[in-house]
Amino acid sequence: MDMLSSTTLWSTLAQCLLMLIAAGLVIKAMFAMVKWGKKMPKGAFILLAFLPLISLFPIPPTVFKNVEKAKQEQPKKKEADGDGPNKQ
């Protein structure tokens, strides 16, 4: 029996437990951030003021645009070399 294809009660319970632990850690981290922000409002304000600067960095183009560009350039190179579709 393949372990990856069969789902048992224990594996389902383990997954649920791990998800609950992860959710609890996220909630605890959020409460800690709020508590820190109340103690140090200037520090929290400065942190939040710098977070939008992430949007200033350019987003690289997707690979699909490069592939389409290469597909368009390939027939042009073949025609320039004389290997076009009309070659006899």
Side-chain angles (χ1 to χ4, degrees):
M1 179 181 272
D2 188 16
M3 287 182 64
L4 296 175
S5 65
S6 65
T7 310
T8 63
L9 178 63
W10 292 112
S11 65
T12 305
L13 288 175
Q15 288 176 352
C16 290
L17 181 65
L18 287 174
M19 288 176 59
L20 286 173
I21 290 171
L25 288 174
V26 167
I27 291 171
K28 187 174 180 178
M30 287 181 176
F31 275 115
M33 287 173 55
V34 169
K35 193 174 181 182
W36 173 76
K38 286 182 178 180
K39 279 196 278 184
M40 299 182 60
K42 289 181 183 178
F45 181 72
I46 291 171
L47 177 68
L48 290 175
F50 283 113
L51 286 179
L53 294 176
I54 295 171
S55 64
L56 294 177
F57 297 110
I59 299 172
T62 60
V63 177
F64 299 112
K65 291 180 182 178
N66 294 336
V67 171
E68 289 296 324
K69 187 177 179 181
K71 284 181 182 178
Q72 290 175 356
E73 288 177 1
Q74 188 175 9
K76 292 178 186 177
K77 287 182 182 178
K78 283 184 180 179
E79 289 175 5
D81 291 341
D83 294 337
N86 294 333
K87 184 180 176 187
Q88 293 178 0

